[in-house]
Amino acid sequence: MSRTRTALLAAMALVAGASGTAFAVHSADLGTAAVPCTVDYKVQNQWDTGFTAAVTVTNNGAAKSGWSVKWSYAGNQKVTSGWNAKISQSGAAVTAANETYNGTLATGGSVSFGFQGSYSGTNAIPATFTLDGVTCNVDDGGTTTPPPDPGGPSGRVDNPYSGAKVYVNPEWSANAAAEPGGSRISNQPTGVWLDRIAAINGANGKMGLRAHLDEALRQKGSGELVVQLVIYNLPGRDCSALASNGELKPDEIDKYKTQYIDPIKAILADPKYASLRIVTTVEIDSLPNLVTNTGSRATATPQCDVMKANGNYIKGVGYALNKLGDVPNVYNYVDAGHHGWIGWDDNFGPSADVFKQAATAEGATVNDVHGFITNTANYSALKENNFTINDSVGGKSVRESKWIDWNRYVDELSFAQAFRSKLVSVGFNSGIGMLIDTSRNGWGGTARPTGPGATTSVDTYVDGGRYDRRFNTGNWCNQSGAGLGERPQANPATGIDAYVWMKPPGESDGASKAIENDEGKGFDRMCDPTYTGNPRNNYNMSGALPDAPLSGHWFSAQFRQLMQNAYPPLS
C-alpha cells in the first residue's frame, strides 16, 4: 500500500469520524499474502472527548511465540485502558504487546485487542503499523461482507455479524427513548425474547415474531441485517431460579416441540425472510444447571434433579438445534452460562460435555451449532484490567481470594476464549464463534477503580481493583451499581463473533416481591434486596435493586442507573 493511499483513507476516515460514525482503515487493492503482516484498526465508538478502538493483527510471516504492535498518533490521542494486550504509550508512540495467554501467533493467524482512548480536536487513524519492527499493510478486516464459508452448513457466512447491521427492536427503542437521556442508546440493537408460546404471535399487544421480521426487512434495506432471537421456553425452565420459571411443566417436552419450536421454525423458514441473518440464542441457563445444581452438590435443587433425570433439557435443546438449524439463514448460538458459573475446574469440562450431548440429541449434530453465547442477561465484567489469575499477594494466589474463590477465570473475555477452545476439543467445529452479552457489565461510574487494590492481602488487592462490584459472582438479579457495557460490535476479539446486547437493558430480571401473573413467573428471593443468600452465592446479600417488576417488564430505575454507570461512558 502506498503512503498516498494510506493518507487518503485516513482523511476519509476523519470525515466519517466527525459525524460520529464508526470507521476503519482498510485496503481493497492488496491481498494479504504478499505482505508480512496486516493490521485492521477500527474506531468503533466515538464521543466528544473519547473513543474505543479494536485492532486485529494478522501474521503472514514465521510463527511467533510473542508479539508487539506499534504505531504513533498524529494528534493528542491517549490510550486510557485496554484489553487482550498490554498497552503502553510514550508521547505519541503506542506499543501493544501480547498477554501471557495470547502470545502464540501462527503463520496466517490473527490476534485481536481493544482499548479506550481520549482525544480532542481530530482523531486521525495512524498511518503506519509495525509487528515486531516490520511494517505492516492495513487490511480490510471484514468491513465488507465475507463470502460464504464453503465448509459451513448451508453456505452460511463465517460470522453473521460481519458487514451487517443488527435489528433495532422498536418496542425496546421506544421505552429507552422515553427515559431522560435514553435517546443516546435507543438505536442500539437488542435481542427479541420469545419466552412463551404466546410471544410467537404477540402477547399483551406486543409485536409477534412475524411483525419483528417484517420490520427487520424494512430496516435491512439493500444491505445485510442480523435479527437476534432468544429461544427460551424449555419445559421446567431454569430449575434453579424462580423468577425465570416458564409456562411448561417439566414433562411437557412434546408441547415444547409442537407448539413452540415447530411454529417458530415454520415462520423462520418462510422464503420471505431468507435474506435476513437470523441469530438464535438457544435456551439460557438450563444446560449449565444440569452440571452445577444437581446430585450431591450443595447448590442442587429438586427441580434440577428432575430435569436431569427426565432428560428434557437435553432433548429440548437438541430438538431446537435440529429444527432451527435446518433453516439455511439461521445461526444457532447455545447459551454457555458465564465465568462465575462455569469457570471452576469441576464445572468447565463437564459443561462442555453436556453441551456436546445436547448438540447431538434429537437428530441434531454439531453442524447445527454456529457458536455459543456467554454472560446472557448477566453482569460479569468483560475484562478485569487491574489483576490477573496469575497474580499473587504475600505468597498467596489471587485464586484464594473470597471473590475469585478458586475460579480459573476473572472475567468474561478470557473465559469465553478459553471455553471456545474446550468446546472445539470435545468435538465442536473449529470455526465456532462466541458472543458475549455486554448489555449490563460495564460497571462504570464514580465507583469504578482506577488501579489495583492495596497489596495488604489477596482480598484487599482483588476487591480494591475489581470493576465488578457485586457481592458475589452468583448474584444475577437487577444488580445495584451495574452499568451498560461495550456497545454491540462485530469481531471485537480473537474467537469472538460479536459483543451483543442480548438482554435489553432496562428489562427486569425478576420482581423484588411476589406479584401474581399469567406468565408462569415466580418470586425468587435473589431479586429481594433484603435476602441474605444461599449456597449458590456463598450466602451473600442479593445486591438486587428494590421495587422491581416481573422479569421482562420495563424497570425505569434500573435503566437510568445503567446509563449513569455506563462504561465506556455515554456522552
Side-chain angles (χ1 to χ4, degrees), residues 41-45 51-55 73 83 113-117:
Y41 177 111
K42 291 180 182 176
V43 173
Q44 298 185 304
N45 296 291
F51 67 100
T52 60
V55 182
Y73 285 115
W83 47 93
F113 58 90
F115 60 90
Q116 180 167 334

Side-chain angles (χ1 to χ4, degrees), residues 144-470:
T144 57
T145 304
D149 176 5
S154 306
R156 294 179 179 89
V157 296
D158 177 63
N159 180 358
Y161 290 87
S162 288
K165 297 184 296 183
V166 187
Y167 175 63
V168 177
N169 180 346
E171 294 179 316
W172 175 83
S173 182
N175 283 332
E179 298 287 351
S183 60
R184 291 173 295 176
I185 63 164
S186 59
N187 64 340
Q188 292 289 353
T190 55
V192 174
W193 287 56
L194 301 173
D195 61 355
R196 50 197 162 125
I197 292 169
I200 300 172
N201 292 322
N204 300 327
K206 290 191 173 183
M207 296 168 66
L209 178 55
R210 281 194 179 274
H212 281 295
L213 296 176
D214 289 341
E215 170 63 14
L217 288 174
R218 188 194 68 79
Q219 291 184 20
K220 177 180 182 297
S222 59
E224 299 291 345
L225 185 134
V226 171
V227 179
Q228 302 175 127
L229 305 177
V230 179
I231 307 301
Y232 189 46
N233 199 31
L234 275 178
R237 188 179 74 191
D238 204 343
C239 54
S240 68
L242 295 173
S244 47
N245 282 169
E247 63 184 351
L248 300 181
K249 297 184 177 72
D251 60 352
E252 291 189 304
I253 185 66
D254 291 337
K255 189 173 182 180
Y256 173 80
K257 292 177 177 180
T258 61
Q259 297 186 35
Y260 181 69
I261 294 298
D262 289 352
I264 291 174
K265 178 193 174 177
I267 294 172
L268 300 186
D270 187 331
K272 178 181 182 181
Y273 306 122
S275 64
L276 298 171
R277 297 178 182 179
I278 301 170
V279 164
T280 62
T281 292
V282 178
E283 295 296 353
I284 296 157
D285 292 344
S286 296
L287 292 178
N289 275 320
L290 298 180
V291 175
T292 64
N293 298 325
T294 57
S296 61
R297 294 201 184 200
T299 54
T301 70
Q303 297 89 341
C304 289
D305 282 332
V306 167
M307 298 316 300
K308 185 171 183 177
N310 68 23
N312 284 344
Y313 281 180
I314 298 290
K315 295 173 188 174
V317 170
Y319 188 84
L321 293 173
N322 179 23
K323 294 300 180 180
L324 302 179
D326 287 343
V327 183
N329 54 315
V330 166
Y331 299 78
N332 289 321
Y333 289 80
V334 179
D335 183 78
H338 55 89
H339 90 275
W341 188 357
I342 305 302
W344 281 271
D345 293 344
D346 52 356
N347 299 344
F348 194 79
S351 293
D353 293 337
V354 167
F355 297 151
K356 175 69 178 303
Q357 184 183 356
T360 52
E362 298 290 311
T365 74
V366 293
N367 288 332
D368 291 313
V369 178
H370 203 76
F372 290 79
I373 179 170
T374 75
N375 206 46
T376 310
N378 207 264
Y379 298 85
S380 295
L382 180 67
K383 175 67 175 171
E384 292 283 9
N385 293 317
N386 294 326
F387 57 91
T388 76
I389 203 66
N390 300 312
D391 293 348
S392 62
V393 176
K396 285 190 173 184
S397 165
V398 297
R399 294 187 68 205
E400 298 181 62
S401 67
K402 292 178 181 177
W403 172 254
I404 299 174
D405 192 26
W406 297 103
N407 201 317
R408 285 282 177 194
Y409 302 93
V410 301
D411 54 34
E412 209 57 27
L413 179 57
S414 62
F415 164 74
Q417 290 172 323
F419 198 52
R420 178 189 175 278
S421 296
K422 182 63 178 179
L423 291 160
V424 171
S425 77
V426 301
F428 285 97
N429 293 331
S430 60
I432 59 171
M434 306 297 285
L435 306 178
I436 301 177
D437 188 346
T438 59
S439 58
R440 303 181 301 178
N441 71 346
W443 295 105
T446 56
R448 184 180 177 90
T450 57
T455 56
T456 51
S457 71
V458 289
D459 287 321
T460 57
Y461 177 68
V462 172
D463 290 340
R466 61 181 167 95
Y467 301 139
D468 187 337
R469 295 191 298 278
R470 289 177 292 177

Side-chain angles (χ1 to χ4, degrees), residues 379 440 476-482 507-512 526-527 542-546 548-549 555 558 561:
Y379 298 85
R440 303 181 301 178
W476 54 266
C477 194
N478 301 324
Q479 291 298 284
S480 177
E507 293 190 2
S508 173
D509 295 317
S512 52
M526 287 296 288
C527 300
S542 70
L545 291 168
F555 190 6
Q558 183 196 50
Q561 181 191 86

Side-chain angles (χ1 to χ4, degrees), residues 44-64:
Q44 298 185 304
N45 296 291
Q46 183 167 302
W47 54 99
D48 290 344
T49 59
F51 67 100
T52 60
V55 182
T56 298
V57 184
T58 301
N59 173 37
N60 296 318
K64 299 175 180 293

Side-chain angles (χ1 to χ4, degrees), residues 26 33 340 501 528:
H26 65 282
W501 283 7
D528 177 358

